[in-house]
Amino acid sequence: MPEFVGAVDQGTTSSRFMIFDHAGNEVAMQQLEHTQILPRPGWVEHDPVEIWERTDSVMRNAVRQGSLSPADLVAIGITNQRETTVVWDRRTGRPYYNAIVWQDTRTDSISAALERDGHGEVIRRKAGLPPATYFSGGKIKWILDNVEGVRADADKGHAIFGTTDCWVLWNLTGGPEGGIHATDVTNASRTMLMNLETLDWDDELLALFGIPRAMLPVIRPSSHAGAYGTARTSGPLRTAVPITGVLGDQHAATVGQVCFAPGEAKNTYGTGNFLVLNTGTTLVRSRHGLLSTVAYQFGDSPAVYALEGSIAVTGSAVQWLRDQLKIIDSAPEVERLAHTVDGSEGVYFVPAFSGLFAPYWRSDARGAIVGLARYHTNGHLARATLEAICYQSRDVVEAMEQDSGVHLEVLKVDGGVTANDLCMQTQADVLGVPVSRPVVAETTALGAAYAAGLATGFWQDEDELRLHWQESKRWEPSWTEERRAEGYAGWQKAVQRTLDWVDVR
């Protein structure tokens, strides 16, 4: 009898396959990075073929590493970097263009035009999102308008779109030979094309972007026994394992953190930061720069909604210190370097490389380091980088409390940056509330596994999943209220220095 659940985690910088047992423990994991393609300032791309090849490889090798047979897997879940846009030929499986990544800002003129022409409120009302470069709709339009032959093939039904969950699913279930073209409600809710109330593509929104409905995948629940088919025997597992769960990465982390009750929230620290607050089956519309989104939908149950604060650059700011400035050799070294000083000493780093996301939504913003004196060292910059992660999260928490009226008593955290003790202590200090990390810090893949396992009866219900959640570490705030207020005031002043650097008319 199968005893494990597998999860594909197709992320912004890497793809991995993780295998979990019934207690939610990691049994095996393989991970491979893929190339970050940066053709122009503000442009970020991935090679979809490379992503699929890396996904194929990690699935094969994780099973081998765990000394398992694919027949030991009861089901597979998929989670993914959201909004990243792939358009490919359904006849051949060939992408027409590189994947345009969620961080990419080339569509700023499209977003600005929608706002200028009065369409912004329609998108906010129907999709729960502001017109922004972040989301998929503008990226699809850019490919249709700028890549030769795509518009004609889309009109004929040959060119199809998907976020990377859809791309992986299509390839895993057969590709040109009968691959399933589907996505789930969470990924669809990030396109500016889905109506949050009907949970279907909206004709008015499609018309705003000039996107044919035939390009789009079928929208399914996040967890469902029959919605996504099975992995083909010609694929990486060589076995017909059911695919029963699909969730965008931050929605998967919400499930992995068992935030199933209204008012429960989690913050994921990865390439960017994403704070999600469960609002239950009630669709809450933000008045303070947050996103209304679908948290998840299990089977035939009603969709559960959420408010989300999305931050473009947090962990990737540490990568910038490593790859561009070369003041560290590896990401974990930033903690050691930051510990060489007692504080940032008035230095603020606002890493608005892709503009500012929640709660500002300013695509004209660009990164800035302010407050520098001759005295400062690379240690102060490292400290300011960690503080930037925390201050951006506070911006979102402030907006979330205004929208929901809920004051956070504790912040559940997950993701790679949570291994950095100094950053997590700083987060508790900046917020003034405890920060709690679970035993399984990489909850994104776990959430996808939970969704897949719930659909098959491997796990019975949400209450059973709650029993698996255990705290690994907690950080208590140590700053005085005066220091906290002074630091945040300096951050807000620094943010103002980043605005109006790019003309997006």
Side-chain angles (χ1 to χ4, degrees):
M1 181 177 178
E3 298 180 356
F4 306 100
V5 177
V8 174
D9 184 355
Q10 199 300 292
T12 306
T13 59
S14 67
S15 299
R16 61 182 173 174
F17 190 63
M18 300 185 71
I19 300 173
F20 298 93
D21 65 16
H22 193 270
N25 298 312
E26 178 187 323
V27 173
M29 189 273 283
Q30 285 286 297
Q31 182 170 357
L32 287 172
E33 292 189 357
H34 54 262
T35 306
Q36 304 298 305
I37 302 168
L38 309 170
R40 299 185 191 179
W43 290 31
V44 187
E45 299 175 358
H46 296 155
D47 179 353
V49 174
E50 181 187 24
I51 284 177
W52 168 243
E53 289 173 345
R54 298 295 166 88
T55 302
D56 181 293
S57 178
V58 296
M59 292 182 74
R60 295 175 190 270
N61 290 327
V63 172
R64 187 178 302 117
Q65 179 203 46
S67 300
L68 301 174
S69 162
D72 292 325
L73 301 178
V74 67
I76 296 170
I78 299 173
T79 185
N80 60 291
Q81 53 168 321
R82 304 170 301 171
E83 300 93 20
T84 294
T85 296
V86 186
V87 176
W88 70 96
D89 190 330
R90 71 164 76 240
R91 299 166 298 178
T92 65
R94 179 184 62 84
Y96 289 93
Y97 189 78
N98 280 336
I100 301 180
V101 180
W102 57 274
Q103 300 160 309
D104 190 286
T105 60
R106 77 186 69 187
T107 60
D108 50 6
S109 61
I110 295 173
S111 301
L114 287 166
E115 198 75 85
R116 185 178 60 248
D117 295 343
H119 301 310
E121 286 311 308
V122 175
I123 297 171
R124 288 183 181 89
R125 175 170 52 84
K126 289 194 166 187
L129 311 173
T133 61
Y134 183 18
F135 309 109
S136 308
K139 303 178 197 301
I140 304 170
K141 177 176 171 56
W142 189 93
I143 291 174
L144 286 168
D145 292 347
N146 291 278
V147 181
E148 186 177 355
V150 179
R151 173 73 67 178
D153 278 1
D155 289 338
K156 296 173 184 174
H158 301 323
I160 57 176
F161 150 77
T163 40
T164 60
D165 63 301
C166 190
W167 170 246
V168 168
L169 175 70
W170 189 80
N171 282 284
L172 194 56
T173 54
E177 300 176 358
I180 291 177
H181 187 214
T183 191
D184 90 302
V185 288
T186 67
N187 281 291
S189 75
R190 314 297 295 193
T191 60
M192 293 193 288
L193 305 175
M194 189 190 85
N195 187 310
L196 281 177
E197 294 181 355
T198 66
L199 303 181
D200 194 9
W201 306 118
D202 187 275
D203 288 334
E204 183 179 10
L205 296 177
L206 293 177
L208 292 180
F209 291 92
I211 296 171
R213 181 182 277 263
M215 289 186 72
L216 305 178
V218 176
I219 302 174
R220 306 289 195 189
S222 312
S223 174
H224 197 281
Y228 301 105
T230 59
R232 287 292 182 93
T233 55
S234 58
L237 298 179
R238 299 288 190 263
T239 302
V241 182
I243 302 165
T244 55
V246 175
L247 288 157
D249 52 10
Q250 303 316 314
H251 315 267
T254 302
V255 172
Q257 286 274 36
V258 295
C259 293
F260 296 133
E264 293 184 324
K266 68 87 199 173
N267 198 17
T268 296
Y269 297 72
T271 302
N273 268 31
F274 304 90
L275 205 157
V276 177
L277 174 74
N278 184 322
T279 62
T281 55
T282 301
L283 173 56
V284 176
R285 301 186 183 278
S286 176
R287 304 181 309 279
H288 298 92
L290 301 179
L291 308 177
S292 300
T293 192
V294 180
Y296 55 84
Q297 184 185 21
F298 293 158
D300 298 324
S301 298
V304 172
Y305 293 97
L307 286 172
E308 177 178 332
S310 304
I311 303 166
V313 178
T314 54
S316 56
V318 176
Q319 293 176 325
W320 184 73
L321 299 183
R322 179 193 68 189
D323 299 337
Q324 270 76 26
L325 296 194
K326 300 187 184 303
I327 65 173
I328 55 175
D329 293 323
S330 65
E333 286 185 30
V334 70
E335 183 173 13
R336 176 196 58 77
L337 183 58
H339 267 304
T340 62
V341 296
D342 292 331
S344 59
E345 300 292 346
V347 174
Y348 290 89
F349 173 26
V350 186
F353 300 147
S354 301
L356 288 170
F357 285 7
Y360 304 100
W361 299 108
R362 294 290 297 263
S363 60
D364 62 314
R366 287 299 179 266
I369 302 170
V370 302
L372 287 172
R374 181 72 176 81
Y375 160 79
H376 290 116
T377 68
N378 55 9
H380 295 103
L381 180 55
R383 178 75 73 141
T385 301
L386 299 184
E387 291 181 354
I389 295 172
C390 303
Y391 281 124
Q392 289 183 98
S393 293
R394 175 163 173 178
D395 283 337
V396 170
V397 169
E398 294 277 335
M400 201 162 277
E401 291 185 349
Q402 291 178 70
D403 269 338
S404 68
V406 175
H407 176 73
L408 288 182
E409 299 297 330
V410 63
L411 182 65
K412 287 184 174 182
V413 299
D414 55 73
V417 179
T418 63
N420 187 313
D421 282 316
L422 178 58
C423 188
M424 292 299 98
Q425 181 59 57
T426 303
Q427 186 68 89
D429 292 335
V430 165
L431 288 178
V433 300
V435 168
S436 173
R437 183 182 68 198
V439 170
V440 180
E442 296 291 351
T443 55
T444 304
L446 181 61
Y450 280 167
L454 283 171
T456 64
F458 187 75
W459 289 294
Q460 293 301 312
D461 53 29
E462 297 167 12
D463 289 337
E464 182 180 2
L465 297 183
R466 285 185 183 279
L467 297 175
H468 298 313
W469 193 94
Q470 297 180 47
E471 184 175 81
S472 168
K473 188 166 184 177
R474 177 175 289 236
W475 293 266
E476 298 288 344
S478 62
W479 286 3
T480 64
E481 190 57 43
E482 181 181 10
R483 181 180 178 185
R484 187 174 301 115
E486 181 181 347
Y488 190 52
W491 167 258
Q492 292 174 304
K493 185 178 179 181
V495 167
Q496 295 304 308
R497 302 292 194 271
T498 73
L499 306 180
D500 298 315
W501 284 98
V502 180
D503 186 353
V504 297
R505 288 177 294 176

